[in-house]
Amino acid sequence: MSQATKRKHVVKEVLEEYVVPSPQQQIVRVLGTPGNNLHEVETAEGTRFLVSMPTKFRKNIWIKRGDFLLVDPIKEGEKVKAEINFVLYKDHVQYLKKEGLWPEAFSDTAESQPSSEASREGEQTAARSSGEEDSDDDSDLFVNTNRLHYSCTESEDDSEEAAAVASDRDEEEK
């Protein structure tokens, strides 16, 4: 199977299938990514440990801090105690809540994320509808802090000297 075909099937599986956790599986929240396809996670009880990303997800599915995962425990692991089985997106979380399988400890964090995204989208559409994007105010643009900002102001002395130099040049040419 080619890499593109594999990626297509993995992405389709993650986005379209709705899974129910088995008794040994856990729902966890990602706290960070120390590297080497490892992710630090926290369970609903507050236990922290590392999980590994299987090769089928590597370079196909991206996980960030705050995402929810479905993990399978690894019995022989000391530091890495589980392996990612499924990445739970917003639709999956809503499905698990409807089924009554979502942990209560994660209820407040799962609800706060989509609402903050919705409020940002609402602010952006309000700004577009009010016509602010056509204004001449560039204060909301990105400012490159790697460049020094020089402000040039001419004093009266500088302008008088420049005029005198220009008149001297004119006289020399004649």
Side-chain angles (χ1 to χ4, degrees), residues 163-174:
V165 170
S167 64
D168 288 342
R169 266 195 241 133
D170 290 339
E171 290 175 10
E172 287 176 7
E173 290 177 1
K174 290 183 184 178

Side-chain angles (χ1 to χ4, degrees), residues 118-136:
S119 66
R120 276 189 233 128
E121 290 174 4
E123 290 171 2
Q124 289 174 352
T125 55
R128 287 189 198 115
S129 65
S130 65
E132 287 181 26
E133 64 185 37
D134 295 329
S135 69
D136 292 333

Side-chain angles (χ1 to χ4, degrees), residues 130-145:
S130 65
E132 287 181 26
E133 64 185 37
D134 295 329
S135 69
D136 292 333
D137 184 22
D138 292 335
S139 63
D140 60 337
L141 295 177
F142 171 74
V143 177
N144 187 352
T145 57

Side-chain angles (χ1 to χ4, degrees), residues 2 7 12 22 40 42 53 75 91 95 102 137 148 162 164 172:
S2 72
R7 181 178 297 127
K12 184 178 179 181
S22 66
E40 184 180 3
E42 179 181 35
M53 178 181 281
K75 297 191 181 2
D91 298 337
Y95 173 76
W102 190 252
D137 184 22
L148 295 175
E172 287 176 7

Side-chain angles (χ1 to χ4, degrees), residues 10 13-14 19 24-42 49-59 61-65 67-74 80-89:
V10 169
E13 173 190 338
V14 169
V19 297
Q24 74 266 13
Q25 292 178 331
Q26 287 183 313
I27 296 174
V28 295
R29 179 177 51 208
V30 177
L31 299 175
T33 56
N36 291 336
N37 294 307
L38 297 175
H39 299 277
E40 184 180 3
V41 297
E42 179 181 35
F49 55 90
L50 293 175
V51 297
S52 66
M53 178 181 281
T55 54
K56 77 174 188 175
F57 289 144
R58 295 178 189 172
K59 296 184 181 179
I61 303 296
W62 303 102
I63 299 172
K64 63 183 184 301
R65 186 180 316 123
D67 284 350
F68 294 98
L69 308 171
L70 189 62
V71 297
D72 289 320
I74 299 174
V80 180
K81 297 188 177 181
E83 185 176 47
I84 298 171
N85 185 8
F86 202 81
V87 180
L88 299 172
Y89 289 105

